[in-house]
Amino acid sequence: MIPLRSAILRPGSQEAFLCSKCLGTSRTQSPSLRRFWSSSNRRTGIAENQASLLLQKTYFSANRLYDNTGLKGGFISSFASLSSDQPAHPYTSQSTNKPPQTSATPAESTETSRSESIATHQVSEELPHRRRKRLKEEAGRQNGQAEPVIPLDASAQLSNFSSSQPTTSLKRKLAAYFALTKPRLSFLILLTTTSAYGMYPISSLLTLDPAMTPLPTLSTSTLTFIYLTTGTFLSCCSANTLNMMFEPKYDALMSRTRNRPLVRGLVSRRGALLFAVATAATGLGLLYVGTNPTVAGLSAANIFLYAFVYTPLKRIHVVNTWVGAVVGLIPPLMGWVAAQGQTATTGHDTWRDMLFSEESIGGWLLGAILFAWQFPHFNALSHLIRDEYKAAGYRMLCWVNPAQNARVALRYSILMFPISIGLWWVGVVGHGFLVGSTVANGWLVREAYGFWKHQGAQGTARGLFWASIWQLPILLVGGLVTKKGLWDGVWRNIFGQPEEEEDEYVYYDEEEESVLEAEKQAHSTSSRTGTLSTT
């Protein structure tokens, strides 16, 4: 006899005795309960003697749905397998609606039920954007076309539009020639040029009447702005057209450039050459007349660097990336010099004064931002299509030295911090720029660190590419919004701070200053002689 405690008996009862035969009989399961557990075990592939161990592990699990001990094959999988006969998603109907097979073995049926339940569970929890991506990939595989690594550029899209038009259509010609300009790249260059022009700190002398001061008053005029933007855009058109002219057979080897107009024969080489010469002459002429000769010289140097140095160097040495970064540095400097030329006086408007004076520091800092930005942007982009660059024969770090490619991207991303602080230090932007630039640069560095850590794997290259796409406009637009002194008038209107009196500032010409100094000397001499005569 085995004594039993009152804890397992009815309340109020005392200790009782139970024979071993009766105890064994009480522990046997009922037929229905035994059938339920055995069917569940067969579905999960677990032996009956392991059922208690499975229950103990999964009952105390923190997340029983995703517990790796197999609770998916317990209660949940029993209900999932019962409902798997009806498809929970239209794209699982092929796998779930299968004719019954009478000759299936227990192992095959167990594997089938488990795969069906897992597939049903995964599809039911699929996020909308993941579903759209999956459907797009499935459609591409059915059509025999692979999804592009990066979206098509504007030139390729314009070329596709041009080829769809009739041969004699004017739209066909206009779209083909416009595709030669690389519109998105040209727009980015315009953004950097005009941002630097707008961030130049205009002197208070420019708000005075021209009769009071010999300085011009057109530094922020609409006319000068139009000359600068039009001339810069036409110069970009010339440089990009020459770049396409020199490498059509290599562009045909890459999916990113194979749809360009010269590759597809939408524009002849002679037509492209005439277009490049015409846009260069017109653009440089507008910059020379509307801004100053230094800006026109910088634009001409940029066309030469991009078309005749950077383009052939891509097939020779990896230093081409640094040359391309110098090409990106020049447009902000052009905008800064265009504004600086409006405040320059006669005799102080040479190219040395424009480029290497104290007032030109802000322009060089803005150019440094574009120089440093080139590396995380292009290194991430080139990593995505590194095999195509290698097949086309372009010497890029992404395949020549992938480790250095990631290090360079991270190094120049970190360099963004001191450059941005330098803009605030020299008085170009206000305190708000420090906050905005720190957030944008921190995001870029975070993506660049992941790109370096994983060597571009796990989607880090694409993440760095899109971070660079957004980071640059945030810096440029943020610099315009937080320009030094831009919000002083608004601050005074809100808080009622008194404006500075105009009498405090008196402006003299050089001749007036010499006359005043002579009068002071004469006055001091007369006062000394008067003192001596009285004594």
Side-chain angles (χ1 to χ4, degrees):
M1 301 295 289
I2 302 175
L4 296 180
R5 298 293 179 182
S6 59
I8 60 175
L9 299 176
R10 292 191 304 272
S13 61
Q14 302 295 326
E15 184 179 80
F17 289 89
L18 187 66
C19 65
S20 59
K21 183 178 180 180
C22 296
L23 181 61
T25 306
S26 63
R27 293 181 60 184
T28 58
Q29 299 177 352
S30 61
S32 60
L33 184 60
R34 185 168 58 251
R35 284 195 301 270
F36 174 80
W37 280 106
S38 60
S39 61
S40 176
N41 292 337
R42 281 196 301 270
R43 279 191 296 268
T44 57
I46 301 174
E48 294 186 7
N49 56 1
Q50 298 178 355
S52 60
L53 181 61
L54 174 64
L55 180 61
Q56 293 174 6
K57 289 184 178 180
T58 57
Y59 183 83
F60 295 100
S61 175
N63 191 346
R64 281 176 272 171
L65 181 60
Y66 297 98
D67 188 37
N68 56 6
T69 56
L71 190 58
K72 293 179 183 178
F75 288 107
I76 296 176
S77 68
S78 62
F79 294 111
S81 61
L82 290 175
S83 61
S84 62
D85 295 336
Q86 298 180 355
H89 194 275
Y91 297 97
T92 61
S93 59
Q94 296 181 358
S95 61
T96 55
N97 296 335
K98 294 182 179 180
Q101 299 179 1
T102 57
S103 61
T105 61
E108 293 177 352
S109 61
T110 301
E111 186 67 26
T112 302
S113 61
R114 292 182 64 185
S115 61
E116 290 176 356
S117 62
I118 293 173
T120 304
H121 179 71
Q122 290 178 349
V123 172
S124 62
E125 291 191 354
E126 189 176 22
L127 297 176
H129 70 282
R130 297 290 186 186
R131 178 176 176 270
R132 289 193 297 268
K133 182 178 180 181
R134 177 176 58 81
L135 295 179
K136 189 175 181 180
E137 291 176 352
E138 291 178 357
R141 286 194 296 267
Q142 291 177 0
N143 297 331
Q145 298 177 354
E147 183 183 1
V149 178
I150 56 176
L152 295 177
D153 58 1
S155 297
Q157 296 176 5
L158 287 170
S159 298
N160 292 334
F161 173 77
S162 176
S163 61
S164 64
Q165 300 298 315
T167 308
T168 59
S169 175
L170 180 61
K171 291 182 179 180
R172 181 186 180 94
K173 291 294 183 183
L174 292 178
Y177 278 99
F178 190 50
L180 291 174
T181 66
K182 299 181 182 178
R184 291 177 183 171
L185 178 59
S186 300
F187 175 76
L188 177 62
I189 294 174
L190 282 181
L191 175 63
T192 60
T193 306
T194 54
S195 298
Y197 180 81
M199 275 189 271
Y200 183 81
I202 300 299
S203 173
S204 60
L205 290 175
L206 299 176
T207 61
L208 299 177
D209 188 351
M212 299 175 59
T213 175
L215 296 180
T217 58
L218 293 177
S219 64
T220 57
S221 67
T222 305
L223 184 61
T224 306
F225 183 79
I226 291 175
Y227 273 116
L228 178 64
T229 53
T230 307
T232 302
F233 177 74
L234 291 176
S235 300
C236 293
C237 295
S238 176
N240 292 328
T241 303
L242 292 173
N243 172 262
M244 291 188 187
M245 275 186 54
F246 294 149
E247 47 187 18
K249 63 179 181 180
Y250 306 117
D251 288 343
L253 302 176
M254 300 179 62
S255 61
R256 179 170 168 262
T257 56
R258 65 181 52 164
N259 287 324
R260 287 179 174 177
L262 284 172
V263 178
R264 301 185 63 172
L266 300 174
V267 179
S268 63
R269 291 179 61 87
R270 181 173 178 271
L273 178 61
L274 293 176
F275 180 75
V277 172
T279 51
T282 308
L284 295 177
L286 290 175
L287 291 175
Y288 185 88
V289 173
T291 58
N292 56 69
T294 306
V295 177
L298 288 173
S299 182
N302 220 18
I303 295 175
F304 177 79
L305 277 177
Y306 187 72
F308 299 99
V309 179
Y310 168 73
T311 299
L313 195 59
K314 290 193 296 183
R315 304 184 58 81
I316 299 174
H317 198 273
V318 294
V319 77
N320 69 83
T321 307
W322 278 263
V323 176
V326 174
V327 173
L329 177 148
I330 294 178
L333 195 58
M334 290 170 54
W336 188 271
V337 172
Q340 184 181 352
Q342 302 298 319
T343 64
T345 57
T346 305
H348 300 281
D349 55 354
T350 63
W351 64 272
R352 292 186 181 88
D353 298 322
M354 296 291 183
L355 298 177
F356 302 107
S357 63
E358 185 178 353
E359 289 78 11
S360 62
I361 296 177
W364 286 104
L365 287 173
L366 288 171
I369 287 180
L370 266 294
F371 180 86
W373 176 83
Q374 300 281 333
F375 295 96
H377 174 74
F378 180 75
N379 289 15
L381 171 64
S382 61
H383 179 84
L384 296 172
I385 51 176
R386 58 191 181 279
D387 295 332
E388 296 187 4
Y389 273 120
K390 184 176 182 180
Y394 291 123
R395 303 285 298 179
M396 299 297 175
L397 275 177
C398 57
W399 68 269
V400 174
N401 193 339
Q404 185 180 2
N405 185 66
R407 287 197 306 270
V408 168
L410 178 60
R411 184 184 308 152
Y412 283 96
S413 298
I414 298 174
L415 189 61
M416 285 286 188
F417 282 101
I419 298 175
S420 302
I421 295 173
L423 280 174
W424 166 80
W425 183 263
V426 299
V428 177
V429 293
H431 299 286
F433 182 77
L434 290 177
V435 180
S437 64
T438 300
V439 174
N441 295 334
W443 178 27
L444 184 70
V445 170
R446 176 179 176 272
E447 297 295 335
Y449 176 76
F451 179 69
W452 167 77
K453 181 179 180 181
H454 300 287
Q455 295 295 304
Q458 301 182 13
T460 55
R462 188 182 296 272
L464 178 59
F465 172 75
W466 287 110
S468 65
I469 289 292
W470 287 102
Q471 182 257 1
L472 183 62
I474 290 174
L475 288 186
L476 297 179
V477 177
L480 289 172
V481 173
T482 61
K483 178 182 175 181
K484 191 76 171 181
L486 181 64
W487 300 98
D488 290 348
V490 178
W491 185 271
R492 286 194 296 265
N493 292 333
I494 294 175
F495 296 97
Q497 295 181 0
E499 297 185 359
E500 298 174 344
E501 298 181 0
E502 297 181 358
D503 297 337
E504 297 180 0
Y505 298 95
V506 181
Y507 303 98
Y508 300 101
D509 292 335
E510 294 181 358
E511 297 179 357
E512 294 179 357
E513 290 181 358
S514 60
V515 170
L516 289 174
E517 295 229 346
E519 290 178 356
K520 288 180 181 179
Q521 290 178 359
H523 179 70
S524 61
T525 304
S526 61
S527 61
R528 283 197 299 270
T529 56
T531 305
L532 291 173
S533 62
T534 54
T535 56

